Amino acid sequence: MDPLIATAVDAPAPDGTLPPPPPAEPPEPARLWAISDLHLSYKGNREELEKLEPRPSDGLIICGDVGETAEHLRQCFTTATACFRQVWWVPGNHELFTMPSSKEGGTRGAAKYMECVNIARAFGVLTPEDEFVIWDGDGGPCVIAPIFTLYDYSFRPAHVPLEEALEWANEENILATDEHLLHNDPYASRIEWCNTLVERAETKLAAAVMENLGTKLVIINHWPLREDLVNIPLVPRFIIWCGTKQTEDWHNKYNAKVVVSGHLHVRRTDWKDDTRFEEVSLGYPKQWKDCQERGMDINDLLREILPGPDAPRSGEPTTWWRRYGKGTSETPAIFLKNGAKP
């Protein structure tokens, strides 16, 4: 404000009273952002995390694969909670790894997951083990629903039997690190663990729908809920570690406005029925090097979940491949449409 105007405003009225203060500017509406696959084992990604800018009114979803150690989680949550009003986290496969050099005593399987949950809770970060909450910012109200489902090898061609899925992937020299480092204790297999997790998530999502009739959900899961959203042309047979067909219709069944996932390292936006699907990975440094070369940083790669972009108009493509950019109305993304691959 001009100092002369300020002086005039502060001057006492003739009766000795001060005039009322000028009205405060309305706060900016709170927005909900997301990112995943930070992979903090890479020095370049750790340095990038430190560039995260404060958005004290906003919320942030961290959609798995922060890193492999407790220290990676603490570094991520320290920065994220300092910058955002509320943070949500769901586990990816990398958080569940039991590293050979683990300083945490080699915790495995479900116990490793709960160890991560407890670290998140120490920072006030909400997890799949916490109560769902209502987002009342821009684009709301919505129920924010973090879940954890794992995978069961059902994302595979119809001609490949379950018992031959690993062999089928290995024909193209594809073998996920999970097969060595992601243990399923105390369950007999990852499939059994996945089935248990799916049942728990269904129960919780169904309850959320009944308790919040008419309110849409934002479902958060590291693995995509639908097989038709998996497009990884460089390693197509990695698909067997990418989810479970049991979640195929959850966006309709559980009244989802948006479904947020990571894991694929292929950023894209899809519309299925009346639901928007967002893949929000950062990825390994070489996978977003082109963004850095264009002067962008992690803040440009946050994905706006709420309010988010408008749905395509009739006749427009329903898949938007996003090499970079937020894709908001204020900062248009670079979209590769009409079937072009990223």
Side-chain angles (χ1 to χ4, degrees):
M1 180 181 290
D2 186 286
L4 294 178
I5 297 176
T7 301
V9 169
D10 292 339
D15 61 1
T17 63
L18 287 173
E25 294 185 5
E28 293 185 4
R31 299 187 177 213
L32 181 62
W33 305 87
I35 196 165
S36 74
D37 296 77
L38 293 169
H39 292 291
L40 297 183
S41 57
Y42 289 85
K43 180 175 182 288
N45 283 16
R46 293 195 300 274
E47 293 173 346
E48 199 64 26
L49 176 67
E50 296 305 313
K51 299 176 185 177
L52 199 61
E53 297 172 353
R55 292 177 171 85
S57 297
D58 294 356
L60 178 66
I61 293 165
I62 302 170
C63 209
D65 276 8
V66 168
E68 297 79 20
T69 69
E71 184 53 37
H72 291 152
L73 286 174
R74 293 188 185 102
Q75 181 178 2
C76 176
F77 297 152
T78 296
T79 301
T81 56
C83 292
F84 290 85
R85 175 167 61 94
Q86 182 61 66
V87 177
W88 289 263
W89 165 83
V90 295
N93 49 311
H94 280 249
E95 282 97 336
L96 304 176
F97 286 175
T98 300
M99 305 301 290
S101 59
S102 174
K103 296 180 180 179
E104 289 83 37
T107 312
R108 295 161 59 108
K112 179 65 184 290
Y113 165 59
M114 287 308 302
E115 185 176 85
C116 296
V117 167
N118 289 332
I119 293 172
R121 285 174 166 172
F123 287 87
V125 173
L126 297 176
T127 78
E129 301 305 310
D130 298 307
E131 294 297 318
F132 296 161
V133 299
I134 299 290
W135 170 260
D136 57 4
D138 203 358
C142 286
V143 179
I144 309 300
I147 62 172
F148 169 34
T149 63
L150 209 57
Y151 52 83
D152 61 3
Y153 308 97
S154 58
F155 284 5
R156 65 182 193 277
H159 70 274
V160 178
L162 173 60
E163 60 272 16
E164 296 178 14
L166 290 176
E167 181 181 349
W168 172 75
N170 200 37
E171 287 173 358
E172 298 291 337
N173 296 316
I174 304 298
L175 184 67
T177 306
D178 296 21
E179 298 300 321
H180 300 291
L181 298 181
L182 201 167
H183 304 286
N184 41 263
D185 310 38
Y187 301 94
S189 65
R190 289 189 204 89
I191 294 175
E192 182 181 308
W193 191 8
C194 174
N195 290 339
T196 300
L197 292 169
V198 166
E199 183 178 349
R200 289 177 182 173
E202 284 200 288
T203 299
K204 195 170 181 180
L205 291 169
V209 171
M210 292 302 297
E211 293 166 6
N212 301 276
L213 292 175
T215 302
K216 292 280 190 176
L217 272 63
V218 175
I219 300 177
I220 308 163
N221 190 46
H222 179 68
W223 293 270
L225 298 190
R226 294 175 58 91
E227 184 177 8
D228 60 1
L229 298 179
V230 181
N231 186 290
I232 39 178
L234 296 180
V235 284
R237 297 194 183 191
F238 186 77
I239 194 171
I240 64 173
W241 292 280
C242 290
T244 169
K245 290 183 178 179
Q246 297 179 76
T247 61
E248 186 84 5
D249 66 341
W250 281 15
H251 65 294
N252 287 325
K253 189 175 181 180
Y254 300 118
N255 196 28
K257 181 173 185 176
V258 190
V259 176
V260 187
S261 65
H263 192 57
L264 305 180
H265 296 199
V266 180
R267 292 182 289 277
R268 59 187 283 181
T269 302
D270 292 89
W271 280 265
K272 299 287 184 182
D273 305 314
D274 294 323
T275 302
R276 173 163 45 95
F277 290 77
E278 298 281 5
E279 208 283 359
V280 299
S281 298
L282 176 65
Y284 302 126
K286 67 179 181 180
Q287 293 173 321
W288 57 278
K289 182 179 179 182
D290 59 334
C291 303
Q292 289 183 309
E293 291 173 346
R294 295 171 186 268
M296 299 178 181
D297 63 19
I298 190 171
N299 298 287
D300 299 296
L301 290 168
L302 296 178
R303 181 62 178 154
E304 185 184 284
I305 302 304
L306 293 176
D310 294 331
R313 290 172 292 186
S314 178
E316 290 186 340
T318 56
T319 295
W320 294 358
W321 302 93
R322 295 180 290 102
R323 290 293 295 273
Y324 44 81
K326 301 183 186 73
T328 68
S329 57
E330 293 81 9
T331 310
I334 302 300
F335 296 128
L336 303 177
K337 300 184 179 180
N338 300 319
K341 297 296 185 286

